[in-house]
Amino acid sequence: MFLFIIKRLLQIVPVILGVTLVVFLIMQMVPGDSAVILAGEGASKETVEQLRVDLGLNKPMHEQYISYISNVVQGDLGNSLKNNQPVLDEILIRLPITMELAFFSILITVVLGLIAGIISAVRPYSYSDIGVMVVALLGISLPSFWLGILLMYVFSIKLQWLPVAGWDSTAHIILPAITLGAGGAAIVARMTRSSMLEVVGQDYIRTAKAKGLAEHVIIYKHALRNALIPVITVVGLQFGSLLGGTVLVESVFAINGLGRMIVDAIRTRDIPMVQGGVLVASLVFVFVNLLVDTMYRVFNKRIDLN
Amino acid sequence: MMNEIVLEVKNLKTHFISNKGTAKAVDGIDFVLRKGETLGIVGESGCGKSMTSLSILRLIPSPPGKFVDGEVLLNGKDLVKMSNEELRKIRGNQISMIFQEPMTSLNPVIPVGEQIAEALRLHQGLSRKQAWDKSVEMIRLVGIPSPEKRAKQEPFQLSGGMRQRIMIAMALACTPEVLIADEPTTALDVTIQAQILEIMKDLQRKIGMGIIFITHDLGVVAEMCDQVGVMYAGQIVEHRDAKDIFNNPLHPYTQGLIGSLPKLYEDQEELQIIEGTVPSPYDYPEGCRFAERCPFSTDICVQKEPSLIQYGDNAKVRCWKYTNEWQDSLAKEVLKS
């Protein structure tokens, strides 16, 4: 187990190198010159040229990349092109907000999804099952920005139960977390249902019944543990799209998180900011995947991690 | 004491209802199991053996399965009429089951010791510690070496033979009055099979339980059983003392089965077979279900379904051949030709 974790941590290095390279290349290819954008409209050619030299943008691409990487290794993600503040400082302010949002969203995804999936699976083809699955289908189909606006309209504007936007109190977390977690909850619900239904048909469930165990023991002790294995995979994958989703939800709810920071940085061609943001987001994703893989082992000892 | 009836099954009918129609998987089964006795139920695949055994403990998935009629009396109490809660107290406690597939019948993510212990806690009210100790003891009893270590392992760490022993340990943990063993050795190789059978016989002597032994292996029947019920197309066609069935099979189907066994001291080019196939459970013929394949079939066999009739003191057979009607019918046919 320990060896496995060490191995996986080492694997992070090439992943991060790859991520930075791809982001770097994409930022080079997108139209728009950061020096021009930065200098503002009507700036003279000389000013733009001077800016280019100051920012090191005139150097060949590979030199730029290498110097970037060597800085990253030393913990320096560079300075924002916009305000010349260290990118890392900005990220350290933004990241906790996004992590908090992601945490509560994944909580909703897992808890809501599992409960709904179990309700469905216990009485398949009943009205409760059909009801839950219709809602789940809606959850998958609704785009999160639309759901966010809808929730905002109903709960903040009409009912006035919850704040519209911002990130100041616990109440502020509720709507964005639901918006972000709903799609995942729907997927987890469907996955749990099908996985449970498959497990319930297995021979060992018949054995458990033949033993005289009560239905709830059969479901929670014998079936759920087996059914969870594919669900964990889905939750892990879901976390990736959830990180992507923060971009939209943070914009809808005006939350100053990492996602919104990256979007703003892309808009202004603030390359160091984009690179830093994406780098940190991928680090988070890699760690979550590591966590998921380790959890497999806890739920299913047949998986030999080494 | 040996003659005390523990389990009596009367006219048990379990059907499966689907788009294709109604499959009469179990269609009027009667038998009696006495204390300490082993009743073999034999028949080919799909004849309803397993469905009979699952029906006894109401383990048929429903839908599509449907209990249609019959009584299952355990010490005179009808399991069919019991609530689910009452029945749960009997499952795994008074009546236990061993299944055909040791590889898949154990929960893959729960240590085997715990899988045995949970039944002990449930039915015998043992504490966690007591149940675990008893569970380890049961594992030792079925002949698995270093039971303390094995109890903590999960099924994937055990061989097929060991898993089936665990199943036996689980089934016998609460010293049941009836053990239903549904082809317990089919998936195992022959040496392991012999060991498992030996363990079952040994434990039967100790506990005095009645065993219903479901198999398609006549060799195992000879080895294990006191009584045999031969099943064909959802019904019992012959019920005999095990020792008699090999020497003097009555039903033409049983005769075919016994005849198809390879003989050790004869030089056989080809084994005997029973011509034809089993009729579909969705569409059984009106008369005898074996008539189409039977060398003794006459008009009456095709027209009317035979009932299970008493033959001599301790044999029952579902065949017209042992009735006067058949003699008449045969005579008519002879006259016609």
Side-chain angles (χ1 to χ4, degrees):
Chain A
M1 186 82 137
F2 181 70
L3 202 70
F4 161 77
I5 292 173
I6 297 286
K7 250 190 201 169
R8 286 293 299 262
L9 286 175
L10 286 176
Q11 280 172 13
I12 291 178
V13 177
V15 170
I16 294 304
L17 273 177
V19 168
T20 49
L21 187 63
V22 169
V23 174
F24 187 82
L25 289 177
I26 289 175
M27 287 311 287
Q28 294 292 332
M29 279 185 283
V30 287
D33 187 329
S34 14
V36 175
I37 293 169
L38 214 62
E41 265 178 68
S44 69
K45 249 192 177 149
E46 289 73 34
T47 324
V48 172
E49 212 45 52
Q50 188 55 45
L51 252 172
R52 217 188 290 278
V53 175
D54 288 350
L55 298 172
L57 294 175
N58 57 339
K59 289 185 198 150
M61 236 200 279
H62 65 272
E63 264 179 47
Q64 285 185 45
Y65 180 68
I66 288 167
S67 76
Y68 175 70
I69 287 297
S70 61
N71 286 336
V72 167
V73 173
Q74 294 161 38
D76 176 12
L77 295 179
N79 291 346
S80 165
L81 297 185
K82 209 165 71 186
N83 53 14
N84 212 27
Q85 294 300 306
V87 167
L88 192 63
D89 292 358
E90 183 70 18
I91 286 175
L92 288 180
I93 297 168
R94 304 279 194 130
L95 184 64
I97 297 174
T98 297
M99 288 315 288
E100 200 178 352
L101 175 60
F103 173 78
F104 284 103
S105 304
I106 208 86
L107 202 68
I108 284 174
T109 293
V110 172
V111 174
L112 214 66
L114 276 182
I115 292 173
I118 292 169
I119 290 174
S120 268
V122 169
R123 303 255 174 279
Y125 309 109
S126 65
Y127 287 115
S128 57
D129 174 29
I130 295 168
V132 167
M133 281 305 116
V134 167
V135 174
L137 194 66
L138 279 177
I140 292 174
S141 318
L142 297 181
S144 63
F145 59 87
W146 190 79
L147 179 65
I149 292 168
L150 187 77
L151 288 175
M152 213 189 266
Y153 178 73
V154 174
F155 291 100
S156 310
I157 298 170
K158 285 284 157 191
L159 297 171
Q160 303 210 333
W161 287 353
L162 295 163
V164 179
W167 196 256
D168 303 319
S169 65
T170 321
H172 281 97
I173 301 176
I174 299 173
L175 289 185
I178 292 175
T179 307
L180 193 51
I187 292 170
V188 168
R190 290 172 65 96
M191 192 69 213
T192 307
R193 177 181 184 270
S194 63
S195 179
M196 279 289 276
L197 285 182
E198 196 189 310
V199 166
V200 164
Q202 297 290 321
D203 291 339
Y204 53 82
I205 297 299
R206 190 180 60 189
T207 308
K209 276 187 197 150
K211 232 186 274 182
L213 300 179
E215 197 185 337
H216 68 268
V217 179
I218 295 175
I219 293 201
Y220 293 105
K221 181 172 173 183
H222 285 260
L224 192 58
R225 276 195 65 176
N226 285 288
L228 275 182
I229 296 162
V231 175
I232 295 170
T233 316
V234 170
V235 172
L237 289 172
Q238 215 41 53
F239 195 84
S241 58
L242 195 125
L243 282 182
T246 57
V247 172
L248 284 171
V249 172
E250 283 173 5
S251 299
V252 171
F253 286 94
I255 301 164
N256 284 321
L258 194 67
R260 204 166 165 218
M261 183 199 89
I262 296 174
V263 174
D264 290 343
I266 292 172
R267 206 175 286 144
T268 55
R269 301 289 179 275
D270 191 345
I271 297 174
M273 203 65 142
V274 176
Q275 281 172 335
V278 173
L279 184 68
V280 169
S282 24
L283 264 178
V284 169
F285 185 62
V286 169
F287 274 110
V288 168
N289 267 317
L290 175 60
L291 190 72
V292 168
D293 287 352
T294 316
M295 268 169 71
Y296 277 151
R297 171 73 191 164
V298 177
F299 277 90
N300 189 353
K301 294 195 184 132
R302 278 172 300 180
I303 293 169
D304 185 3
L305 293 174
N306 298 316
Chain B
M1 167 181 157
M2 283 294 278
N3 293 325
E4 214 177 297
I5 293 175
V6 245
L7 188 74
E8 189 171 3
V9 171
K10 287 183 184 167
N11 193 34
L12 182 67
K13 287 187 182 179
T14 304
H15 296 176
F16 282 80
I17 294 158
S18 71
N19 305 337
K20 282 201 280 176
T22 302
K24 294 172 181 164
V26 180
D27 204 21
I29 295 286
D30 298 89
F31 63 77
V32 160
L33 180 72
R34 290 167 207 283
K35 213 168 177 182
E37 185 187 71
T38 303
L39 166 71
I41 294 183
V42 290
E44 57 199 283
S45 308
C47 73
K49 308 181 296 270
S50 293
M51 288 305 143
T52 304
S53 68
L54 290 172
S55 298
I56 291 172
L57 279 178
R58 298 208 328 235
L59 288 172
I60 299 282
S62 166
K66 188 168 184 288
F67 170 82
V68 178
D69 196 14
E71 289 173 38
V72 179
L73 304 170
L74 176 72
N75 298 321
K77 272 204 223 153
D78 193 352
L79 303 191
V80 171
K81 296 201 180 87
M82 281 185 185
S83 70
N84 284 331
E85 206 167 316
E86 287 173 298
L87 189 66
R88 279 206 293 270
K89 287 184 186 139
I90 292 187
R91 287 176 179 166
N93 189 21
Q94 284 167 284
I95 304 180
S96 287
M97 273 195 88
I98 304 173
F99 296 99
Q100 186 173 358
E101 307 85 2
M103 306 312 268
T104 53
S105 290
L106 291 168
N107 194 317
V109 299
I110 299 178
V112 292
E114 166 59 20
Q115 296 192 47
I116 299 172
E118 63 180 345
L120 287 162
R121 292 201 303 270
L122 180 73
H123 295 303
Q124 306 204 328
L126 300 186
S127 70
R128 263 183 189 277
K129 173 84 175 60
Q130 288 170 324
W132 182 262
D133 290 346
K134 177 95 191 276
S135 161
V136 170
E137 192 46 46
M138 287 308 297
I139 298 175
R140 188 194 317 278
L141 199 65
V142 293
I144 296 178
S146 49
E148 288 88 357
K149 189 181 125 216
R150 290 298 184 184
K152 289 182 198 139
Q153 292 185 332
E154 280 162 14
F156 75 98
Q157 291 163 299
L158 274 57
S159 70
M162 277 198 237
R163 287 187 217 184
Q164 196 59 303
R165 285 167 200 237
I166 295 288
M167 282 299 293
I168 293 175
M170 189 189 292
L172 300 186
C174 297
T175 50
E177 292 170 63
V178 177
L179 173 69
I180 302 170
D182 185 359
E183 308 220 17
T185 56
T186 303
L188 305 173
D189 64 60
V190 183
T191 47
I192 306 292
Q193 177 173 329
Q195 289 171 12
I196 298 275
L197 294 180
E198 202 45 56
I199 290 167
M200 286 178 62
K201 273 208 273 191
D202 191 41
L203 292 171
Q204 183 181 30
R205 273 194 292 272
K206 283 181 188 153
I207 302 174
M209 65 194 166
I211 299 180
I212 298 173
F213 202 101
I214 294 176
T215 181
H216 62 253
D217 186 337
L218 289 167
V220 172
V221 170
E223 169 92 18
M224 289 293 289
C225 302
D226 305 306
Q227 297 276 318
V228 189
V230 179
M231 269 188 87
Y232 183 78
Q235 298 177 323
I236 287 186
V237 293
E238 181 166 356
H239 193 122
R240 302 289 297 281
D241 276 354
K243 54 184 189 302
D244 296 338
I245 208 157
F246 291 96
N247 302 329
N248 177 27
L250 294 174
H251 197 281
Y253 175 63
T254 321
Q255 290 169 357
L257 279 186
I258 307 282
S260 65
L261 291 175
K263 296 178 184 63
L264 196 54
Y265 300 108
E266 282 174 34
D267 190 18
Q268 286 173 296
E269 276 294 313
E270 271 180 46
L271 293 175
Q272 272 187 48
I273 55 163
I274 305 174
E275 296 283 347
T277 53
V278 188
S280 156
Y282 289 100
D283 187 23
Y284 282 134
E286 219 168 282
C288 173
R289 292 176 187 181
F290 189 63
E292 206 180 291
R293 307 170 75 182
C294 181
F296 307 106
S297 171
T298 65
D299 286 347
I300 191 164
C301 300
V302 182
Q303 286 155 7
K304 264 177 88 181
E305 195 174 352
S307 52
L308 195 63
I309 55 167
Q310 190 75 33
Y311 182 87
D313 286 338
N314 41 17
K316 281 179 187 157
V317 61
R318 191 186 291 275
C319 181
W320 286 115
K321 196 169 157 237
Y322 301 96
T323 63
N324 294 330
E325 286 99 320
W326 186 79
Q327 300 292 348
D328 296 345
S329 174
L330 186 68
K332 269 187 216 158
E333 268 185 23
V334 173
L335 281 178
K336 254 192 251 171
S337 62

